[in-house]
């Protein structure tokens, strides 16, 4: 059978770091509150000339270099983002052009913080269906540009950045011990819209709008939804928490990550946490965490890795893969 196997990874961060102490000067908050409630200590903020597409293209170039490939080798680009450079064309097409690619096809996936998981599942479908041989799957965001910088309940939480994986079609016997994406579980429920949304858009206000969140309400649903899709992945593959080498969660809040890991019986030594340095970068958070942990040698070829996310919509999902 054909499986989508990770061949390379890369990441890109804006130049400017914004610490909790910097934020204390902008809004009524404290480093202590932010660290205790979220685990975040700093985040990166896009400056002049840095956009979702520029960060995404930089992450893509790094992933291609890591894979030993060039843009000529890629035939599909999927970008997960809720902060596109333009309403259209898709940021994926923008990145395709920045890479000097004029072949293949490129499109965006919009599932907010679950975007990277959705994009991985989508790329997996195209690869297994034979429509693509090598895909760049990118999560890229500039949430700083849709934040209300006067709203302390949201502006301290988010950051900017991008991460990318190269997925490659590979013939496999199809065992759980073989490399590649083993299974994906995706869910959504639009009745939760008001808990996490942006109060603008092309078809309603004609403006970009600002992020609005009832944090406590989102928090209440997060652990249950995350564990639901992780258990679905275990059941689909006959694996258990003990088989996992790494849990690479969406990085929204350290307390949510710890709560989910505890409920599943996954020790924190097996969990990749980057929320302290990146903040919540929405669809970019998982590929940034993957690039961090693969880059420093924690995630190795053959490791069983669980990705999971939950966010606006609500959307939530998991991808289980052997690295
Ligand atoms: O990535 C997409 C999914 N998003 C998430 O997963 C986010 C989920 N939610 C959360 O992570 C948490 O709910 C937050 C970190 C957003 C908030 O933590 P919390 O423990 O739920 O705090 P809270 O909203 O219940 O607020 C507690 C208090 C409030 O004051 P009162 O009403 O108790 O007097 C807030 O006004 O903290 C206050 N507060 C702040 N204080 C200092 C809210 N924001 C701040 C702030 N600095 N930045």
């Amino acid at each position: 059978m054909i499986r989508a196997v990770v061949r390379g990874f890369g990441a890109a961060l804006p130049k400017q770091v914004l610490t909790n102490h910097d934020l204390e000067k902008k809004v009524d908050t404290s480093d202590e509150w932010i660290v205790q409630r979220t685990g975040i200590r700093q985040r990166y903020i896009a400056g002049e000339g840095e956009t979702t597409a520029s960060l995404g293209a930089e992450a893509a170039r790094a992933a291609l270099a890591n894979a030993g490939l060039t843009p000529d080798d890629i035939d599909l680009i999927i970008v997960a983002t809720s902060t596109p450079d333009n309403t259209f064309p898709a940021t994926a097409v923008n990145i395709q052009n920045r890479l000097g690619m004029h072949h293949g096809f490129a499109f965006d996936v919009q599932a907010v913080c679950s975007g990277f998981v959705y994009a991985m599942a989508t790329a997996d479908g195209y690869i297994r269906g034979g429509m693509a041989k090598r895909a760049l799957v990118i999560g890229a965001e500039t949430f700083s540009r849709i934040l209300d910088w006067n709203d302390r309940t949201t502006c301290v939480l988010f950051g900017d950045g991008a991460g990318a994986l190269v997925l490659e079609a590979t013939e496999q016997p199809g065992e759980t011990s073989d490399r590649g994406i083993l299974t994906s579980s995706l869910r959504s429920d639009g009745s939760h819209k008001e808990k996490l949304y942006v109060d603008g858009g092309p078809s309603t206000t004609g403006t970009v709008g600002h992020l609005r969140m009832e944090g406590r309400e989102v928090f209440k649903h997060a652990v249950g939804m995350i564990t639901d899709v992780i258990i679905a992945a275990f059941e689909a593959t006959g694996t258990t928490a003990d088989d996992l080498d790494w849990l690479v969660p969406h990085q929204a809040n350290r307390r949510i990550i710890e709560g989910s890991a505890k409920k599943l019986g996954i020790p924190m030594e097996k969990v990749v946490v980057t929320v302290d340095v990146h903040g919540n970068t929405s669809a970019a958070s998982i590929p940034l965490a993957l690039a961090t942990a693969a880059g420093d040698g924690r995630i190795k070829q053959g490791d069983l890795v669980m990705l999971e996310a939950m966010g606006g919509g609500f959307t939530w999902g998991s991808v289980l893969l052997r690295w």
Side-chain angles (χ1 to χ4, degrees), residues 28-30 33 37-38 113 152-153 156-157 196 213 215-216 218-219 250 252-253 255-256 280 310-311:
D28 180 18
T29 191
S30 66
W33 189 94
R37 302 278 173 149
T38 72
C113 297
R152 69 173 183 172
T153 68
V156 304
L157 304 173
L196 176 50
M213 178 165 73
R216 215 175 305 183
V218 180
F219 196 108
H250 168 51
N253 185 319
R255 284 154 62 212
I256 295 175
N280 181 348
M310 179 268 179

Side-chain angles (χ1 to χ4, degrees), residues 4 28 35 72-74 130-131 137 212 221 224 238 241 255-256 264 282 311:
D28 180 18
V35 172
D72 288 344
D73 301 312
I74 300 296
M131 281 182 73
V137 186
R212 304 292 172 204
H221 289 85
R255 284 154 62 212
I256 295 175
L264 291 158
S282 194

